Amino acid sequence: MANIKSVAQKAGVNVSTVSRYVAGKLNVKKETREKIDAAIAELGYRPHATAKALKTSVTNCIGIVIPTIRNPLFADIVAGLTQRLEANKFTTMLYSTENHLSKEKEGIGTLLAGRVDGLVVVGSSGKTGSRDWLEEVKDIIPLVVVNRCWQNGDFNRVITDFTAGSRLAADYLVGKGYRRFAVITGYKDNEESQLKLYGFEQELWQRGIMLGQDMVAEGFFSYDKAYHAARKLLGYRPEAVFAASDLMAAAVLKATKDCGLVVPEDMAVIGYGDSQISQITTPALTTVAQHAVESGAAAANLLIEVMKEPGPAREVIMRTELVVRQST
Amino acid sequence: MANIKSVAQKAGVNVSTVSRYVAGKLNVKKETREKIDAAIAELGYRPHATAKALKTSVTNCIGIVIPTIRNPLFADIVAGLTQRLEANKFTTMLYSTENHLSKEKEGIGTLLAGRVDGLVVVGSSGKTGSRDWLEEVKDIIPLVVVNRCWQNGDFNRVITDFTAGSRLAADYLVGKGYRRFAVITGYKDNEESQLKLYGFEQELWQRGIMLGQDMVAEGFFSYDKAYHAARKLLGYRPEAVFAASDLMAAAVLKATKDCGLVVPEDMAVIGYGDSQISQITTPALTTVAQHAVESGAAAANLLIEVMKEPGPAREVIMRTELVVRQST
DNA sequence: TTGTAAGCGTTATCAT
DNA sequence: ATGATAACGCTTACAA
């Protein structure tokens, strides 16, 4: 590959002149410019980003760590991130932990080795959390966490107000006259799942309604697992089921149908996410919208801001909304 | 940040010794090893990947260019890619063109600047194609293209046999006794869409069945657009509708229902992809499975192979299968 | 306006 | 088994 030296040689000038010209500094004679342009074109020269990064300590690259790209929610967050970052001339390095929190440390480690200017870590920590580890990281490199709410150090963060979203759902259902509820959560130990459950219970409690312990089951954010959980819960004859994701709500619809019940006449179902799934089911799902793409974009903007001028930790809260369709 | 020099200093040895030890070369005395280990731990030293890349010309990083991560199909391909690449100690740089083919050149350009050891370009080229551009790229860097079938230079490629998949669908439907068909394609100019349509037509033709021109409509891989297309097509009373994606097939189901027809009794619907969507709809969709995750994994393996020993272009064909559910 | 030269953090060759 | 040093491709004072 052609390098700056060969360009300089061919153009008959010094490397520093080429460097300055390529960088856009304008104190270079027209005649020289033309010679350099010609040399660049002829050699197919392309500045070597790695060398530049080594010299300047700026990589123009941001690391993103996610649990899995196959969850549409995370895909949306990544989409929001890459859009904003690419628009700001950053490239992105993606590391997927495949839902193994233990791989998070490894992933961050590889990204950290002088490869990126900043880091975005997406997704819930587990029960144990990786708090101590991230605590170190944020001293090494600008860091933004997304939807990791338990992390109570002062991190720059974008969080969705999952609790408020669940309260919207509960409020709406109670207002509709339902009194006997069941909930399908994600993972018992997962913070996002817990916050969603917590908000729902809290709102019910304020309305003087109790949610029986038998009425909560884990669905593991999986269609099949949620289906089985739903079959069990339906035995207790709830009037309405709240699922922590649209995918699991879709499973509830299926279970309901297989039990010979009709939604919404015999039972109401409400999902979470307002993903494409919620439009596709029959009946279409009432759901809590959580603006995943915008969360990603907000995280990108926050990180860029933080890299420009560091300071005390900043926080962005993403609001949720209720989207009413035909399942309630 | 601590560098190799500071470690060497603290350990009281030369940088080259540290370098050798860290690289795992074993000609280093136990005593020295311990001193170095202590220094590394104390300083929190982490080898600088960028500097190493500059020196060795290997980045251990692979570039991935995709149209958009929000399409579950591409997300699956990326998942397959990152799994295999991470397992082989590669990091991945992701560039998303947001469905603008024109951005592909820009994206590849940024990745090319000494940032990556190899490149995977995913997705159809448009009518015009970016063939000439990629033709240059493959001389610069190891390249694998995925599902870009029109590209007729000798590229390393992983392609899904879309045509064969469509033929499976047509064969099955004709066997079931259907004779009057409608098709919802993606984009008219998109090769994947065209191949899917082509296979379907071809199989019908061999069975002596004609597909009227009015019976084909663009759905743009969008739920809403496909819904409108379906409403129009239903006016011509097809006995079965073949959609080029599950999402669009779901839209057909909706349109059918809104027209007061029942699937599969009044009309059959068949999708493409075997994505999660196909299990969720009511009735669940019969669909052509296309193994997206495996395509990504195959592309990763192919690229690794090509980087190890270059040679004539290799090709991997991914087969398709029919998955029969309740919509036919 | 252009040239000289040091240095970013590594690795690798050659001595010792 | 270890040390000295050049080099990777670039940027950036500083000098001319």
Side-chain angles (χ1 to χ4, degrees):
Chain A
M1 280 291 298
N3 57 18
I4 200 174
K5 210 165 156 187
S6 58
V7 171
Q9 210 155 28
K10 173 141 274 169
V13 299
N14 191 275
V15 286
S16 59
T17 308
V18 177
S19 176
R20 261 175 281 139
Y21 173 53
V22 170
K25 312 238 197 321
L26 286 189
N27 15 343
V28 56
K29 214 165 35 176
K30 189 178 171 195
E31 194 187 345
T32 316
R33 286 206 291 264
E34 282 161 0
K35 279 192 294 183
I36 297 177
D37 278 332
I40 288 179
E42 191 167 345
L43 295 170
Y45 169 68
R46 194 185 294 282
H48 197 285
T50 302
K52 178 171 181 176
L54 178 59
K55 176 64 190 169
T56 62
S57 300
V58 175
T59 61
N60 283 306
C61 182
I62 302 298
I64 302 177
V65 180
I66 54 166
T68 167
I69 195 67
R70 300 189 70 189
N71 179 329
L73 205 74
F74 296 132
D76 283 354
I77 292 175
V78 169
L81 278 165
T82 52
Q83 269 170 240
R84 293 303 310 142
L85 291 174
E86 282 176 19
N88 284 275
K89 301 295 171 203
F90 286 101
T91 74
T92 57
M93 277 194 141
L94 188 68
Y95 189 93
S96 170
T97 66
E98 303 302 330
N99 284 315
H100 298 305
L101 204 56
S102 56
K103 286 188 70 186
E104 201 177 75
K105 186 166 174 173
E106 179 191 335
I108 294 177
T110 30
L111 295 179
L112 232 50
R115 273 188 234 265
V116 296
D117 295 337
L119 202 56
V120 179
V121 178
V122 179
S124 305
S125 58
K127 189 192 219 161
T128 51
S130 53
R131 182 183 161 193
D132 295 337
W133 169 243
L134 277 190
E135 200 80 60
E136 291 174 40
V137 172
K138 77 167 204 262
D139 294 330
I140 300 180
I141 199 172
L143 171 70
V144 170
V145 298
V146 178
N147 288 351
R148 183 184 293 243
C149 318
W150 281 348
Q151 205 90 54
N152 39 14
D154 32 67
F155 288 89
N156 297 299
R157 72 182 82 191
V158 174
I159 57 182
T160 302
D161 196 344
F162 293 117
T163 306
S166 297
R167 296 188 71 146
L168 286 177
D171 174 65
Y172 170 76
L173 290 172
V174 172
K176 279 274 209 172
Y178 301 104
R179 290 295 175 272
R180 191 171 160 74
F181 300 100
V183 177
I184 298 193
T185 63
Y187 301 92
K188 212 192 286 185
D189 292 344
N190 173 273
E191 59 173 309
E192 179 180 324
S193 306
Q194 290 201 4
L195 291 170
K196 286 175 176 175
L197 173 59
Y198 176 67
F200 196 79
E201 278 180 321
Q202 202 180 33
E203 182 69 28
L204 290 188
W205 186 79
Q206 286 199 356
R207 307 296 207 96
I209 299 170
M210 284 290 290
L211 182 67
Q213 250 200 330
D214 289 346
M215 301 304 262
V216 179
E218 272 181 295
F220 306 96
F221 292 121
S222 136
Y223 184 78
D224 294 333
K225 302 246 173 69
Y227 177 84
H228 286 110
R231 289 299 292 245
K232 199 191 77 187
L233 289 178
L234 291 185
Y236 301 121
R237 296 282 158 204
E239 293 165 2
V241 178
F242 170 58
S245 78
D246 289 334
L247 182 63
M248 296 195 293
V252 176
L253 289 180
K254 179 74 161 56
T256 311
K257 199 163 169 242
D258 291 351
C259 289
L261 298 170
V262 178
V263 173
E265 286 78 3
D266 301 326
M267 199 187 82
V269 177
I270 193 161
Y272 214 119
D274 192 31
S275 59
Q276 231 160 21
I277 291 171
S278 53
Q279 306 175 48
I280 284 169
T281 55
T282 327
L285 282 169
T286 294
T287 185
V288 180
Q290 78 178 77
H291 309 298
V293 178
E294 292 79 1
S295 299
N301 290 334
L302 181 54
L303 183 61
I304 291 169
E305 211 179 286
V306 166
M307 292 190 314
K308 229 175 259 163
E309 38 180 316
R314 273 157 269 199
E315 187 168 292
V316 177
I317 311 274
M318 303 298 296
R319 72 187 191 296
T320 51
E321 279 158 39
L322 193 71
V323 178
V324 178
R325 296 206 178 85
Q326 285 81 54
S327 67
T328 51
Chain B
M1 278 292 298
N3 58 16
I4 200 172
K5 210 165 158 185
S6 57
V7 170
Q9 212 155 27
K10 173 142 274 171
V13 298
N14 190 275
V15 285
S16 55
T17 307
V18 177
S19 177
R20 259 175 285 141
Y21 174 53
V22 170
K25 311 234 198 320
L26 285 190
N27 13 343
V28 66
K29 215 167 29 180
K30 190 179 172 196
E31 194 188 345
T32 317
R33 284 206 293 264
E34 283 160 359
K35 279 192 294 184
I36 296 178
D37 278 332
I40 287 178
E42 191 167 345
L43 295 170
Y45 169 67
R46 194 185 293 283
H48 196 286
T50 302
K52 177 169 180 174
L54 176 60
K55 178 62 190 170
T56 62
S57 300
V58 344
T59 60
N60 284 306
C61 181
I62 302 298
I64 302 177
V65 180
I66 54 167
T68 166
I69 197 66
R70 299 190 70 190
N71 179 331
L73 205 75
F74 295 132
D76 283 354
I77 292 174
V78 169
L81 278 166
T82 51
Q83 269 169 241
R84 294 301 309 143
L85 291 174
E86 283 176 18
N88 286 275
K89 302 293 170 205
F90 286 100
T91 75
T92 55
M93 279 194 137
L94 188 68
Y95 189 93
S96 170
T97 65
E98 302 303 329
N99 284 315
H100 297 307
L101 204 56
S102 56
K103 286 188 70 186
E104 201 176 76
K105 186 166 174 172
E106 179 191 335
I108 293 177
T110 29
L111 294 180
L112 232 51
R115 272 188 235 263
V116 295
D117 296 336
L119 202 55
V120 178
V121 178
V122 180
S124 305
S125 59
K127 191 192 216 162
T128 52
S130 53
R131 182 185 160 191
D132 293 338
W133 169 245
L134 277 189
E135 201 79 62
E136 291 174 40
V137 172
K138 76 166 204 262
D139 295 331
I140 300 180
I141 199 171
L143 171 68
V144 169
V145 299
V146 179
N147 288 350
R148 182 182 293 244
C149 318
W150 281 348
Q151 206 89 54
N152 40 15
D154 31 68
F155 289 89
N156 298 299
R157 72 182 83 192
V158 174
I159 57 180
T160 302
D161 196 343
F162 293 117
T163 306
S166 298
R167 295 187 72 148
L168 287 177
D171 174 65
Y172 170 77
L173 291 172
V174 173
K176 279 274 209 173
Y178 300 106
R179 289 294 176 273
R180 192 172 160 75
F181 299 100
V183 176
I184 298 193
T185 63
Y187 301 93
K188 213 193 285 185
D189 293 344
N190 172 273
E191 58 172 308
E192 178 181 325
S193 306
Q194 290 201 5
L195 291 170
K196 286 175 177 175
L197 174 59
Y198 177 68
F200 196 80
E201 278 181 321
Q202 202 180 32
E203 182 69 28
L204 290 187
W205 185 80
Q206 286 199 355
R207 308 293 208 95
I209 299 170
M210 284 291 288
L211 181 67
Q213 249 199 331
D214 290 346
M215 302 304 261
V216 179
E218 272 180 294
F220 305 96
F221 291 120
S222 136
Y223 185 77
D224 293 334
K225 302 248 175 69
Y227 177 84
H228 286 111
R231 289 298 294 242
K232 200 191 78 189
L233 289 177
L234 291 185
Y236 300 123
R237 297 282 157 202
E239 294 164 359
V241 178
F242 170 58
S245 76
D246 289 332
L247 182 64
M248 295 195 293
V252 176
L253 289 180
K254 178 75 160 58
T256 311
K257 195 163 173 244
D258 292 351
C259 290
L261 297 170
V262 177
V263 174
E265 288 77 2
D266 300 329
M267 199 187 82
V269 177
I270 192 163
Y272 214 119
D274 191 32
S275 59
Q276 232 160 21
I277 291 171
S278 54
Q279 307 174 45
I280 283 168
T281 55
T282 329
L285 281 168
T286 294
T287 185
V288 180
Q290 78 178 71
H291 308 299
V293 177
E294 292 79 0
S295 298
N301 289 335
L302 182 54
L303 183 60
I304 291 169
E305 211 179 286
V306 165
M307 291 190 314
K308 230 175 258 164
E309 39 180 315
R314 273 158 269 199
E315 188 169 291
V316 177
I317 312 274
M318 303 299 295
R319 72 186 190 298
T320 51
E321 279 157 43
L322 193 70
V323 177
V324 178
R325 296 205 179 85
Q326 287 80 53
S327 68
T328 52

